[in-house]
Amino acid sequence: MTEPAQPAQPAEPAGLADLSAVQLLEGYRKGEFSPVDATLAALERAERLQPVVNAFVRIDADAALAQARESADRWRRGVPAGLVDGVPTTVKDIILLRGTPTLRGSRTVGRGGSWSEDAPSTARLREHGAVFLGKTTTPEFGWKGVTDSPLSGVTRNPYDASRTAGGSSGGSAAAVALGAGPLSLGTDGGGSVRIPAAFCGIFALKPTYGRIPLYPASAFGTLSHVGPMTRTVADAALLMDVVGRPDSRDWSALAPPAPGWFTDSLSGGVRGLRVAYSPSFGGQVAVRPAVARVVRRAVERLAELGAYVVEADPDFTDPVAAFHTLWFSGAARVTQRLGDREAELLDPGLREIRAAGARISALDYLAAVDVRMELGRRMGLFHESYDLLVTPTLPITAFEAGVEVPAGSGLRRWTGWTPFTYPFNMTQQPAATVPVGIDGDGLPVGLQLVAARHRDDLVLRAAHALEEALRPGGS
């Protein structure tokens, strides 16, 4: 059996900071501890480990404790506000959080203003009583698959601080892995919740586009999703039950599912599901042997659990050129307001793709949209035969921190080492990464589960079954 990975930090015995959201809520219900206790534990963990991993742009202890005390009073009176009342939660610094600056990893964003508006996802969390610990790090405007920025520096991996946490939601991944709150919200435009989750040994879901409303609209268009990042699948489902509700500010938001639909979808296992295992997209991706071995063992567990597993590859070639057209155009758009002097403050890599994006014509952009539509058609047909597609989340494990691509790889951009993730932003399908073990260097390996659009339930159901099977003592 593949043992789940454990972070190199913390080294102390497990405590409140290491409990899941589901476990915390059960403790609140039983009166075993309070939201104040849990928030103090999470804040202590966050503040102590911040100098090591640099996961936070801002830790707001005073506001968090005030929210925790209000939650504790509600629990004492037996009237919790909602599904996550009192649960310590973090938010990527791309997503609006009322009362807190959202600087988006950039020195070009002013700190002034009232910051008086929540995003849809943070508004729902606030309604349900979440305790907001602070904002987590992001590369500038979330533009790349690692987390470093001119504003906040380099975010590091909990398993090895010399290595990257991944990105662009690297701060959220590191915070969750280290116990600085069991729930976090990230964003994913090309893999940005799945990449750091895989590197940091946690779970993350990129839901079907529109399942979590997004406001303000992303400059990267409908590539960009909001997604939960947690240590357990059950916590992610709980978080989805909170944030997966409509919001009138997002005209593309999907109709709401039944209350509790995401949590209810965890049961049932994988018996009888048709699973296509694509270890390398038909030889298109060079996967590190240690990663391939860990993922294959996890796929074998799915078969042992009753899934019908066959090796089969989706019918497409790498759409990276079309993705770059869409992505670079978004980079040009998000920085369009900047003058020459402000542009000099940008991450040099972002300046490069910004310039490339500004040269893309409308016809080039529409040609990339055509590639995207064809990719969606092919994946739609693929899922007529298979309920789930399984791949490695990434072909490698975490590499050195502070660089966009691994040294000596010969790669130019971050997309070169994450070919399994961005295709499913183009198709808007639900895709999750599940931690399934470690490589020979003690670094986490993730397995990606992909389903047809709107079948988030299948992704969560299979992820939960696999998580349970890989847990020590699991079936």
Side-chain angles (χ1 to χ4, degrees):
M1 180 182 296
T2 302
E3 293 295 326
Q6 296 294 328
Q9 298 282 345
E12 71 272 8
L16 286 181
D18 302 297
L19 297 183
S20 69
V22 171
Q23 290 170 324
L24 287 177
L25 291 163
E26 183 64 17
Y28 301 162
R29 276 190 285 271
K30 293 178 177 179
E32 295 173 346
F33 43 79
S34 78
V36 174
D37 299 326
T39 299
L40 285 169
L43 285 169
E44 189 279 332
R45 189 72 61 84
E47 290 166 349
R48 180 160 50 85
L49 296 172
Q50 173 66 4
V52 179
V53 298
N54 188 33
F56 286 88
V57 176
R58 176 187 177 95
I59 300 171
D60 198 337
D62 290 342
L65 286 170
Q67 294 163 15
R69 285 190 286 269
E70 292 173 358
S71 173
D73 180 65
R74 291 191 293 269
W75 279 103
R76 278 193 297 270
R77 292 185 287 112
V79 287
L83 295 178
V84 292
D85 198 350
V87 177
T89 303
T90 58
V91 179
K92 182 182 181 179
D93 198 34
I94 291 286
I95 301 170
L96 293 179
L97 180 64
R98 192 179 75 218
T100 302
T102 298
L103 303 181
R104 307 173 78 187
S106 183
R107 293 182 291 176
T108 70
V109 177
R111 288 170 168 78
S114 62
W115 302 104
S116 60
E117 195 169 22
D118 277 324
S121 51
T122 50
R124 301 293 86 74
L125 279 166
R126 196 181 299 277
E127 290 165 5
H128 281 260
V131 171
F132 295 111
L133 300 180
K135 301 297 284 293
T136 56
T137 53
T138 175
E140 200 161 19
F141 301 109
W143 80 270
K144 60 183 174 179
V146 294
T147 300
D148 58 72
S149 76
L151 178 69
S152 57
V154 177
T155 297
R156 299 178 180 275
N157 194 291
Y159 287 79
D160 180 344
S162 72
R163 300 181 188 247
T164 181
S168 64
S169 306
S172 287
V176 169
L178 290 172
L183 303 179
S184 194
L185 286 177
T187 62
D188 190 315
S192 289
V193 299
R194 289 161 290 156
I195 294 166
F199 277 175
C200 293
I202 67 167
F203 177 80
L205 170 69
K206 179 191 75 65
T208 300
Y209 181 81
R211 182 49 64 203
I212 299 177
L214 183 64
Y215 170 84
S218 172
F220 296 99
T222 58
L223 294 172
S224 186
H225 304 56
V226 176
M229 306 180 72
T230 60
R231 290 193 297 273
T232 70
V233 181
D235 276 5
L238 175 67
L239 185 49
M240 287 296 297
D241 280 326
V242 173
V243 300
R245 315 302 297 174
D247 189 287
S248 59
R249 294 171 291 176
D250 183 356
W251 60 267
S252 64
L254 298 176
W261 182 73
F262 296 99
T263 296
D264 292 344
S265 55
L266 298 180
S267 61
V270 297
R271 184 168 299 280
L273 293 182
R274 302 164 300 167
V275 176
Y277 169 43
S278 180
S280 63
F281 277 174
Q284 295 182 74
V285 182
V287 178
R288 187 170 295 170
V291 172
R293 284 194 294 271
V294 173
V295 172
R296 184 173 288 275
R297 286 198 297 268
V299 172
E300 290 169 354
R301 292 294 288 133
L302 286 174
E304 292 166 5
L305 293 171
Y308 297 114
V309 179
V310 298
E311 286 201 20
D313 301 307
D315 179 26
F316 63 78
T317 56
D318 188 354
V320 67
F323 179 80
H324 281 170
T325 295
L326 301 171
W327 195 251
F328 295 177
S329 297
R333 176 60 177 160
V334 78
T335 59
Q336 186 178 23
R337 63 180 177 80
L338 302 180
D340 292 342
R341 181 174 296 181
E342 287 180 303
E344 287 301 311
L345 299 174
L346 295 174
D347 181 326
L350 178 56
R351 285 203 305 271
E352 290 179 11
I353 71 163
R354 172 186 191 247
R359 295 191 294 269
I360 292 169
S361 71
L363 288 177
D364 291 336
Y365 189 92
L366 291 173
V369 171
D370 287 343
V371 171
R372 185 180 188 182
M373 297 300 103
E374 174 61 16
L375 184 63
R377 183 190 72 85
R378 289 171 181 261
M379 287 308 302
L381 292 174
F382 183 83
H383 284 290
E384 288 185 356
S385 299
Y386 301 103
D387 299 305
L388 292 167
L389 169 66
V390 173
T391 75
T393 306
L394 297 162
I396 59 175
T397 49
F399 51 89
E400 61 269 34
V403 295
E404 184 182 347
V405 300
S409 66
L411 299 172
R412 176 67 177 151
R413 296 266 78 104
W414 62 272
T415 43
W417 52 264
T418 181
F420 291 113
T421 59
Y422 55 79
F424 305 111
N425 292 82
M426 298 178 76
T427 62
Q428 303 187 341
Q429 295 171 246
T433 182
V434 184
V436 291
I438 56 174
D439 73 353
D441 295 322
L443 296 169
V445 174
L447 173 149
Q448 181 174 236
L449 290 160
V450 183
R453 291 177 74 245
H454 311 295
R455 293 312 308 268
D456 306 73
D457 58 320
L458 284 182
V459 172
L460 288 167
R461 178 174 144 197
H464 182 65
L466 185 58
E467 176 186 71
E468 291 289 303
L470 294 178
R471 183 174 290 126
S475 57

